[in-house]
Amino acid sequence: MKFIIGNWKMNGSKEEKESMLKSLKGLKTKNKVVLCLPFTLLCGENHGITIGAQDVSNHDNGAYTGDISAKMLKDTGAEYVIVGHSERRLYHFETNEIVKQKATMAIKNGIIPIVCIGETMEEKNSGHTIAVIKKMLLESIPDSGEYIVAYEPRWAIGTGLTPSESEIVTAVKSVFDALPNPMPILYGGSVNADNAQDIVSIPYVDGLLIGGASLKSDTFLPIIKSVK
Ligand code: PGA
């Protein structure tokens, strides 16, 4: 079983959610498919499809205008939450410490966090990929509980660029070796129906985190079908 997790980012209407969930419902797959929706689409009928969120507060509750707590997420039926996505780290200045707090808060409320890590192009070009992702990993993961790690090179997100197979295996194996307990490790960044099966066949890769190609059923379904 491989994880195939869609991240809709700041996209999607009620109608688009409804139509995607209906097409997913009809699909036979042994993979674990999860759709990480914007907060506005988490409530309502999910047709038995597993739903996740894309962020969560690092606080329990209280005067944090605009934030959503893990308890509130749990209320919507969300089972997963992405934490520390590179867009959150970049545009909202989230540090490893905050990401760890968010992951811990999710676990405390029965939600599985998907902890994202990944190097920039500059870090890759200067040969620092492994050191960078190990530090991000060890500072961002919760101290206990069940979680997923997503290795997403920043330069591969939304660019159409992907690392080579040997770059992926080196990075993902270093994550595997650094983890205190074995947890699923996903790859993310410009995944599509043409590269999905090759990427999930790489040792230590337990699934995929998919942005752009998860938005429409005509690009998302072929990925799910292609992953054996
Ligand atoms: P992408 O995004 O598939 O559009 O590259 C991946 C992600 O940001 O999780």
Side-chain angles (χ1 to χ4, degrees):
M1 187 276 288
K2 299 284 186 182
F3 285 93
I4 302 185
I5 303 187
N7 171 13
W8 271 20
K9 308 193 179 185
M10 198 172 71
N11 296 290
S13 63
K14 272 194 201 170
E15 253 179 275
E16 285 164 325
K17 171 191 166 185
E18 185 68 16
S19 121
M20 176 61 85
L21 293 184
K22 280 190 174 149
S23 12
L24 289 176
K25 200 183 170 197
L27 202 67
K28 286 206 180 6
T29 170
K30 61 177 178 50
N31 299 309
K32 175 77 185 167
V33 178
V34 180
L35 207 53
C36 292
L37 296 166
F39 291 135
T40 51
L41 299 178
L42 289 175
C43 293
E45 180 49 57
N46 292 328
H47 302 285
I49 306 299
T50 307
I51 295 297
Q54 302 168 14
D55 184 36
V56 64
S57 172
N58 52 332
H59 301 286
D60 249 323
N61 66 296
Y64 299 101
T65 302
D67 285 351
I68 301 285
S69 72
K71 196 169 172 214
M72 291 168 172
L73 284 187
K74 188 71 185 170
D75 234 11
T76 68
E79 294 177 44
Y80 292 82
V81 62
I82 298 171
V83 293
H85 188 280
S86 72
E87 287 148 17
R88 300 290 316 173
R89 292 177 184 266
L90 187 63
Y91 304 132
H92 297 269
F93 315 107
E94 290 187 8
T95 59
N96 293 334
E97 190 187 0
I98 292 174
V99 174
K100 178 174 178 170
Q101 289 167 357
K102 290 183 172 201
T104 306
M105 206 53 91
I107 289 173
K108 192 176 141 194
N109 287 277
I111 296 175
I112 298 176
I114 303 161
V115 182
C116 299
I117 54 168
E119 81 287 0
T120 63
M121 184 57 108
E122 221 175 20
E123 290 161 343
K124 168 184 155 62
N125 289 343
S126 58
H128 293 128
T129 298
I130 302 304
V132 166
I133 63 175
K134 265 195 181 169
K135 181 171 161 48
M136 281 178 102
L137 177 79
L138 295 175
E139 291 180 3
S140 304
I141 52 172
D143 291 329
S144 59
E146 199 188 324
Y147 55 92
I148 293 175
V149 177
Y151 168 59
E152 298 201 296
R154 273 196 192 181
W155 52 271
I157 296 177
T159 56
L161 301 171
T162 48
S164 68
E165 193 178 319
S166 78
E167 285 169 333
I168 295 179
V169 78
T170 307
V172 174
K173 182 173 187 309
S174 77
V175 171
F176 180 87
D177 289 340
L179 280 172
N181 295 300
M183 297 291 163
I185 307 168
L186 315 182
Y187 167 81
S190 296
V191 173
N192 56 46
D194 293 333
N195 60 22
Q197 175 57 27
D198 288 345
I199 296 175
V200 289
S201 309
I202 297 174
Y204 307 100
V205 175
D206 299 304
L208 303 166
L209 183 55
I210 304 157
S214 72
L215 290 173
K216 299 267 177 287
S217 51
D218 59 358
T219 48
F220 197 36
L221 267 54
I223 295 178
I224 300 170
K225 287 181 191 160
S226 76
V227 173
K228 299 288 175 283

